[in-house]
Amino acid sequence: MFGLLRSPNAAVCLIGLGALFMFLGHKHAARTAALSAHGKTADAQIVKLDWREKKRNHEDSDYTAHIRFTTEAGQEIRDEVGVSTELGRALRSKSGPAVLTVRYLPEDPHTLDDVNKEDFSDAERDLGRYVLLGGIAILVMSFIFPKRSR
């Protein structure tokens, strides 16, 4: 176990994984910022709802709503968007309205999100930083305290 913590290969994997999380967090933050800055809202009709169900305990998760809405320019858009488990269950049991408010970019209406979706891009970038720094620390430690041959 502790030998793995001194492995340069593990360090390089952690550095790469950390950089990937940081990149994805930045990409999601830029998308969210663009939607907040000049995105337009529309009421989208939910045409179909998909979800995954675990075979073992039949727990449902990963809801995807197939939606249809009209932009301010009059263009009809059909797309899909992930919805929260709570909203998905409400829609599935027909206790919630079959309408979802989305925010889209006028120049690219297929770039859209549910207006109530939380932004986790900061947490994603922070996780990437910690993993990256951990990988760098392990890499440094592997050079300071090399494995000894017996």
Side-chain angles (χ1 to χ4, degrees):
M1 165 79 183
F2 292 110
L4 182 64
L5 294 177
R6 292 186 300 192
S7 169
N9 294 335
V12 170
C13 288
L14 286 176
I15 290 170
L17 189 63
L20 177 66
F21 277 132
M22 288 174 59
F23 170 75
L24 291 175
H26 174 73
K27 183 178 172 184
H28 293 148
R31 181 174 185 253
T32 302
L35 284 169
S36 295
H38 63 278
K40 304 291 184 188
T41 58
D43 289 332
Q45 179 185 1
I46 298 174
V47 179
K48 181 181 170 190
L49 185 67
D50 291 332
W51 65 89
R52 290 189 184 161
E53 197 169 291
K54 295 179 182 174
K55 293 178 185 176
R56 190 174 34 129
N57 60 3
H58 300 290
E59 183 74 21
D60 55 343
S61 64
D62 296 332
Y63 282 90
T64 303
H66 298 265
I67 60 171
R68 178 179 62 211
F69 68 96
T70 305
T71 65
E72 286 183 350
Q75 180 183 10
E76 184 175 313
I77 302 295
R78 291 178 178 266
D79 211 332
E80 52 187 55
V81 64
V83 295
S84 67
T85 303
E86 297 82 27
L87 179 60
R89 286 179 181 161
L91 291 167
R92 186 175 167 191
S93 67
K94 306 276 192 255
S95 65
V99 174
L100 182 67
T101 304
V102 294
R103 180 171 284 126
Y104 67 93
L105 291 178
E107 64 272 11
D108 182 15
H110 290 282
T111 300
L112 58 96
D113 256 334
D114 179 5
V115 294
N116 298 318
K117 184 177 178 182
E118 292 185 50
D119 180 22
F120 293 109
S121 58
D122 288 338
E124 198 171 23
R125 282 188 300 206
D126 289 344
L127 175 65
R129 285 184 191 112
Y130 292 134
V131 171
L132 180 82
L133 289 174
I136 291 171
I138 291 173
L139 188 62
V140 168
M141 296 299 283
S142 71
F143 287 116
I144 293 175
F145 303 109
K147 292 181 182 180
R148 294 184 185 142
S149 302
R150 291 188 184 202

